[in-house]
Amino acid sequence: MYIYVIIPVYNRINYTKKIISCLREQTLINIIKIIVVDDGSTDNTGKWLKKQNDIETLKGNGKLLWAGAVNLAIKNIFKKETQNDWVLLINNDVEIKNDYVEILYNVARNNYPAAVGSIIKSKNEKLISIGAKILAHKLKVKEIYKNKFIFKKSDILKNIDVLSGRGVLYPLKSIIEVNGLRPNLIPHYFADYDLSLRVKKKSYNLLI
């Protein structure tokens, strides 16, 4: 069983180095497989990635955008998948604690079948995102972080409508069932929400 971590990148090498460093310090490092999709970076990202023996690097043409980059990695995983594997989507501009992947995995496993997203905070601990609600009658997506919450390590938020791609763990099986992302239809913004919505329709719970 592996957890495939997919990171789409375009330049911003310092961000990429930081998230890779965070992943290398994870408590579940032995089952983590890191896949970086470099979509035409023009800085030193490509040169640096070539020297990283623990990272699988896939190259894009500079036009993949987020959904296309993620889908490229997913198609690569499909070739070697087992039903017990997982996919962690995360962006390179976030930082995580060393038990981050373990916590997500334990929550997902204990609440199977489920995809588990993350609370997102700024460096000064200001809440940026918890999740969102889809207001279909208004054709709007509304963040729910303005509600007053007190978070504890053991808390789980259930019945989330959509999950952000800035940190979400999916059972690989769920992504196979929806045939990955739809980059031709939704190439960038809201592509992560679209994926989680379609996974939810396949009866997978969305948790944070």
Side-chain angles (χ1 to χ4, degrees):
M1 189 278 292
Y2 291 112
I3 297 174
Y4 291 96
V5 183
I6 300 175
I7 311 171
V9 304
Y10 175 72
N11 292 333
R12 305 197 302 178
I13 187 173
N14 289 334
Y15 284 125
T16 301
K17 287 181 177 179
K18 184 62 181 178
I19 187 60
I20 295 299
S21 176
C22 289
L23 287 167
R24 285 170 171 163
E25 296 172 359
Q26 291 299 300
T27 52
L28 291 183
I29 187 62
N30 290 335
I31 61 172
I32 289 175
K33 299 286 187 180
I34 304 172
I35 302 175
V36 174
V37 183
D38 179 14
D39 191 24
S41 293
T42 57
D43 58 3
N44 290 320
T45 294
K47 291 181 180 179
W48 181 80
L49 287 171
K50 284 182 179 179
K51 299 177 182 179
Q52 312 309 308
N53 296 326
D54 58 339
I55 299 174
E56 180 177 357
T57 302
L58 302 176
K59 289 197 172 185
N61 57 9
K63 299 179 181 179
L64 291 178
L65 298 179
W66 189 86
V70 171
N71 233 27
L72 180 63
I74 286 173
K75 288 180 179 179
N76 191 59
I77 294 169
F78 282 178
K79 298 175 184 177
K80 51 192 173 186
E81 55 85 13
T82 70
Q83 291 295 315
N84 296 323
D85 289 335
W86 299 78
V87 169
L88 173 61
L89 303 181
I90 198 163
N91 287 353
N92 69 342
D93 60 350
V94 299
E95 296 179 23
I96 54 177
K97 295 181 180 179
N98 67 349
D99 58 353
Y100 171 81
V101 176
E102 182 177 2
I103 290 172
L104 284 187
Y105 174 63
N106 286 338
V107 172
R109 185 179 56 181
N110 292 334
N111 292 275
Y112 191 87
V116 183
S118 308
I119 294 166
I120 301 166
K121 296 180 179 180
S122 65
K123 284 191 174 183
N124 62 6
E125 294 294 304
K126 181 180 179 181
L127 208 53
I128 296 175
S129 177
I130 301 172
K133 285 288 183 181
I134 303 296
L135 306 179
H137 60 291
K138 294 184 179 180
L139 297 178
K140 288 185 178 181
V141 178
K142 184 179 180 181
E143 277 282 354
I144 60 176
Y145 70 86
K146 291 185 179 180
N147 295 337
K148 293 182 178 180
F149 292 101
I150 297 176
F151 293 106
K152 297 180 181 178
K153 196 170 185 178
S154 60
D155 284 349
I156 299 174
L157 294 178
K158 299 182 178 181
N159 301 317
I160 303 298
D161 284 351
V162 291
L163 295 174
S164 167
R166 286 178 288 183
V168 56
L169 182 67
Y170 285 98
L172 178 58
K173 182 181 176 182
S174 69
I175 298 181
I176 292 173
E177 287 183 24
V178 300
N179 198 30
L181 285 81
R182 301 188 288 183
N184 292 332
L185 181 64
I186 309 176
H188 198 71
Y189 297 109
F190 298 117
D192 49 355
Y193 287 179
D194 174 65
L195 175 62
S196 60
L197 276 171
R198 290 185 291 118
V199 165
K200 186 175 183 178
K201 287 181 179 179
K202 292 291 185 178
S203 298
Y204 289 82
N205 297 318
L206 302 186
L207 311 177
I208 293 207

